[in-house]
Amino acid sequence: MDCSLVRTLVHRYCAGEENWVDSRTIYVGHKEPPPGAEAYIPQRYPDNRIVSSKYTFWNFIPKNLFEQFRRIANFYFLIIFLVQLIIDTPTSPVTSGLPLFFVITVTAIKQGYEDWLRHKADNAMNQCPVHFIQHGKLVRKQSRKLRVGDIVMVKEDETFPCDLIFLSSNRGDGTCHVTTASLDGESSHKTHYAVQDTKGFHTEEDVDRLHATIECEQPQPDLYKFVGRINVYSDLNDPVVRPLGSENLLLRGATLKNTEKIFGVAIYTGMETKMALNYQSKSQKRSAVEKSMNVFLIVYLCILVSKALVNTVLKYVWQSEPFRDEPWYNQKTESERQRNLFLRAFTDFLAFMVLFNYIIPVSMYVTVEMQKFLGSYFISWDEDMFDEETGEGPLVNTSDLNEELGQVEYIFTDKTGTLTENNMAFKECCIEGQVYVPHVICNGQVLPDSSGIDMIDSSPGVSGREREELFFRALCLCHTVQVKDDDQVDGPRKSPDSGKSCVYISSSPDEVALVEGIQRLGFTYLRLKDNYMEILNRNDDIERFELLEILSFDSVRRRMSVIVRAATGEIYLFCKGADSSIFPRVTEGRVDQIRARVERNAVEGLRTLCVAYKSMAPEEYEGACRLLQAAKVALQDREKKLAEAYEQIERDLILLGATAVEDRLQEKAADTIEALQKAGIKVWVLTGDKMETAAATCYACKLFRRNTQLLELTTKRIEEQSLHDVLFELSKTVLRCSGSLTRDNFSGLSADMQDYGLIIDGAALSLIMKPREDGSSSNYRELFLEICRNCSAVLCCRMAPLQKAQIVKLIKFSKEHPITLAIGDGANDVSMILEAHVGIGVIGKEGRHAARNSDYAIPKFKHLKKMLLVHGHFYYIRISELVQYFFYKNVCFIFPQFLYQFFCGFSQQTLYDTAYLTLYNISFTSLPILLYSLMEQHVGIDVLKRDPSLYRDIAKNALLRWRVFTYWTFLGLFDALVFFFGAYFMFENTVVTSGGQMFGNWTFGTLVFTVMVFTVTLKLALDTHYWTWINHFVIWGSLLFYIVFSLLWGGIIWPFLSYQRMYYVFMHMLSSGPAWLGIILLITVSLLPDVLKKVLCRQLWPTATERTQSSQPQESVSRLVPLSSLQSAGAQSPRPLAALGDFCLGRQAGCARGRGAVPPTGPLRQLLWIQPEAWVLGPAQSPCHGGQCPGPALQAVLASACALVRLSWCPRRRSPGRRPLSGASTPQSFVPCPWPPAPAGL
């Protein structure tokens, strides 16, 4: 339960239900209502000040500290620091306090700077000038001084200072155009309408005389919903009540366009505006890496407690002998002898906790945050993901999920605007069974503007002609399209030819495509003026229809209607929508013929809409008006009441026809899905379209293939059989080859196993998800999930937005807990984007609502390939190495300290100097791993794009599993044992320098520390595959910094130190030859096991990534050993076998010509004929890709044969999927040439 809900309940039930109101009353211009009209109850509202900042000058330090110490790691180190201050601990409080202070300070500076920028932006917004009406005059004041009820004037290109109810504009029809790009990213002009009774007020004096009150809902963040009503008072009459909706509301942040000025009354101000309410952050998502990191932290915390406990027990076992507890040189005082034993033991336990606390890496959290923050810029800077057509690049809304991009197992994608371009093109319309296609040949003649291809009767007749024109009029009137620059419509647009120049604007590309398509068929929509819609018919006559009502489109009804009055006085209701929404409401028309055409178009992947109408008698229209008016002025459940009213009005329709619109597939959408499937990712399409249209798109984008067997779980099938029977039948079908489509071998491309694709619709999903009285719902869900797991692809059609989120949630919380990604471009995709582990918005034509609510935004669907297969792969590799490396180097750091206690009587004596304890994680070893985690590329970018299967090597959090974690931990323990006991055995017989001085315990600790710093840094250098000058500078620079610091720290007597125990220690150590030999030897021994492990694993159990690394091209092409003594029988001159890639078997143009390569003939040719393009010859053979590999005996023959004929490679572009075998060093640009056709008789 969130805080806002708690606050709501407290207000309602503690303050009393009677004090709670769900609506507010606003007095326009702060004028009281007339006497007797209603009680005047002044209400207090916030001012118009926007506060997006988090802190103030006074609360920054306490609030920031409180937030930072809510993190477990910071709080833990604070406790350790306090323990060091309170009790006598072996280390100085500085060793814990300084790193903690560094972490807290860096984070506070970062957050403080970000908040300062927010303060600047708030001040600029709050101090901008605003014009408002006061006593009939225009007054100017700052935006922050606006109050609810003020009447505001806004001029063209100005932004609205608060949420306003639109009263009037300079336009006669009371409309204005706005853009909401700063709110939802939509750049198209939206039309808003003034209140009917106030749209005639054009001057300040007129507006000031307005006497009205507004009742509306309390502030809520939905940008597209508003419920209210206005009461306009005249002199003596009762008030006129008008409904207010989102079309009357002008939102703060929107910009006025193509309108000279408007007047509006403020209803929501400051932090109650819809823009401010949308500042609230989304629920926090945590990546799998972060969860693993916290689990590892708990493990190390347990290790820390165990170490402290063991040392505490052993200390008292050791001191059980009196001569050890009180040696003659260190007698206890009387008070120390009388101290409580348990208190002494607890104090010692805390002291050991302080001594070993460095095993918990506090600096790891800061490094991870910096890596995520800086690493996110690599996506923003990627030029390959910039779309020149739209001028848009990728956006990163959160950097906390970068590594999650490398762990995706399921992708849920929208269809329209995501897989397709959302760029609609009108293809045809079907009227009364006849198909009309613009610009086609009919009877040998090209029809420029219209054509009728008669599918049933070549002459439609008089009634058919009337229905045809009625259909065209319906499409010209039933929409919400705007005409750009409508002031010029009267002149140049009265002819059909000039009508083509009309520029239509709409929030729906479908509507624009339909209006433009009908324009090519002879009917042109001109404009909406003074509530009259004007169209130009085939005879170049302008027809005017009065717009009476608009029954708006919504995703539940899936249709829209208009009620218009013709010039003859007849009233029509025109309705268009999805076939599933129109056919049940139709009583007349050629339903079967039109339905057949709709289904045929859907199979071809076209988007279809059906059009119907009915004539309304005046009495029926008046009844509909009363019904709509009652629903519109309702403040409670307005949407429900409107839906009920629409349901009653839109019935008994006559079917006119249907339209077909094409939505082209996005560029490289099919290639992207194919690559994602090769990477082992399952792709699901969730769409609101009908099944046939969506299935055709899935075939086009290669989600379904020719060999894919489609399984249907649809309402139609459930009506024929029960849901239980359908599910069990599908389960038996897919489980025949159960386990064959696991993640490890699933690619979606296999030809030797049955490939299944599932199609489910929204109604069937509702039945599966619906809870049942007998409790069988969970069984249905598990059965459904089992079917889905064994399908290579799933298509969910006729999905409502909430159902999309339900599907994502169902997979997200299944027993495997896979990582999910949702991608979409519209407001209807927001729910699934927020539900998935990673949400990606496509910056498309449906606005930026999805992009604003997503974690990442990309211009096109094709960019998802690089985002996951390259950026996600790199992010995960880098941060997993960072986490494991931090734990490893801290085990190396603190385990020698633990071993040292066995040699110092568990006296809590430190092995390292205080400066080394403090700076180890801050300075000596921090920068190399940070640069590694930002720049490492274990394989090249081109290789990752070319071979998507490499993505599987890191699936299921592979690099942070317990096996890998245990390896890193034991590697750290081994290195720590080498550091300590290697140095110990060197010092067993006291080492004497050339000056006769002996080494002491600080020299011993410094030697261990020196070996440790060099080992952990060189370990990182060995793991680095991608070297730049920055890596060299940081790695070798860190080692040089350690040496210089140690020389300075031990070479100067520092006056601020109370001790000088490190004076000349480092120099003494370096002056000894055995110390140098020991350092080199111990570093070598420490690194040897890791090197051997990598070499053996690469040779015996190589992963796909390691095989790729072995075969990855180097800067120069490796050359084979010349065999000048070998030549083919037909060679004209002997020539040594040169560089791989220098010759080609076969007569390819520009390849083997003139280079002495002669193809084999006779039996040798027949011997070599084994799918030559499927395998590659090299020093070490490995499994081939896509073909039959030669056996060991044949390999030897082939090697000799290839040497004889100088078999090699063409310098051509290498194709994806063909990579050389292990050991073959082949340039990236080379590809095996095809062999010449086998001659007859072989």
Side-chain angles (χ1 to χ4, degrees), residues 1034-1218:
V1034 170
I1035 287 178
W1036 314 125
S1038 294
L1039 296 177
L1040 182 62
F1041 172 75
Y1042 165 70
I1043 295 171
V1044 172
F1045 173 83
S1046 298
L1047 290 172
L1048 292 174
W1049 184 246
I1052 299 174
I1053 298 178
W1054 298 97
F1056 56 83
L1057 292 179
S1058 59
Y1059 62 88
Q1060 302 294 335
R1061 61 193 179 202
M1062 294 300 293
Y1063 182 68
Y1064 248 64
V1065 167
F1066 195 70
M1067 279 74 83
H1068 285 166
M1069 183 188 74
L1070 296 183
S1071 66
S1072 170
W1076 280 90
L1077 179 62
I1079 290 172
I1080 296 172
L1081 184 63
L1082 292 179
I1083 291 173
T1084 305
V1085 172
S1086 300
L1087 293 174
L1088 191 60
D1090 190 48
V1091 173
L1092 290 176
K1093 178 255 180 187
K1094 288 182 177 179
V1095 171
L1096 290 175
C1097 286
R1098 281 174 179 267
Q1099 292 298 320
L1100 300 178
W1101 309 284
T1103 63
T1105 302
E1106 289 170 344
R1107 285 195 294 267
T1108 304
Q1109 288 172 342
S1110 301
S1111 61
Q1112 201 169 353
Q1114 305 298 323
E1115 299 219 348
S1116 60
V1117 180
S1118 301
R1119 296 191 171 270
L1120 302 177
V1121 179
L1123 300 174
S1124 55
S1125 59
L1126 298 176
Q1127 58 179 342
S1128 76
Q1132 297 180 5
S1133 61
R1135 179 176 175 145
L1137 187 62
L1140 192 64
D1142 197 27
F1143 291 98
C1144 171
L1145 177 62
R1147 296 183 177 87
Q1148 296 295 320
C1151 198
R1153 188 176 300 159
R1155 297 189 180 182
V1158 178
T1161 57
L1164 181 61
R1165 174 90 174 264
Q1166 188 174 14
L1167 177 67
L1168 296 177
W1169 194 259
I1170 305 177
Q1171 299 189 31
E1173 285 193 272
W1175 49 268
V1176 181
L1177 293 176
Q1181 299 290 344
S1182 67
C1184 301
H1185 179 76
Q1188 178 185 2
C1189 292
L1194 186 57
Q1195 287 180 21
V1197 179
L1198 291 175
S1200 301
C1202 291
L1204 286 170
V1205 300
R1206 298 168 177 85
L1207 172 63
S1208 193
W1209 299 74
C1210 276
R1212 293 176 179 268
R1213 181 176 60 83
R1214 181 175 176 182
S1215 62
R1218 297 175 182 165

Side-chain angles (χ1 to χ4, degrees), residues 877-897:
I877 290 287
R878 292 164 179 170
I879 201 167
S880 57
E881 176 89 7
L882 184 152
V883 172
Q884 299 282 28
Y885 179 79
F886 254 99
F887 284 115
Y888 156 77
K889 72 186 183 73
N890 278 39
V891 170
C892 293
F893 181 43
I894 213 63
F895 196 66
Q897 180 75 69

Side-chain angles (χ1 to χ4, degrees), residues 65-66 68-86 93 96-101 103-104 354 357 360 362:
L65 289 177
F66 173 74
Q68 291 205 57
F69 285 119
R70 288 170 65 186
R71 299 186 65 171
I72 295 176
N74 289 347
F75 184 72
Y76 163 77
F77 274 90
L78 177 64
I79 296 299
I80 293 294
F81 176 66
L82 294 177
V83 168
Q84 287 179 296
L85 290 176
I86 295 170
S96 294
L98 191 60
L100 180 63
F101 177 77
V103 169
I104 296 296
V354 169
N357 83 87
I360 307 295
V362 64

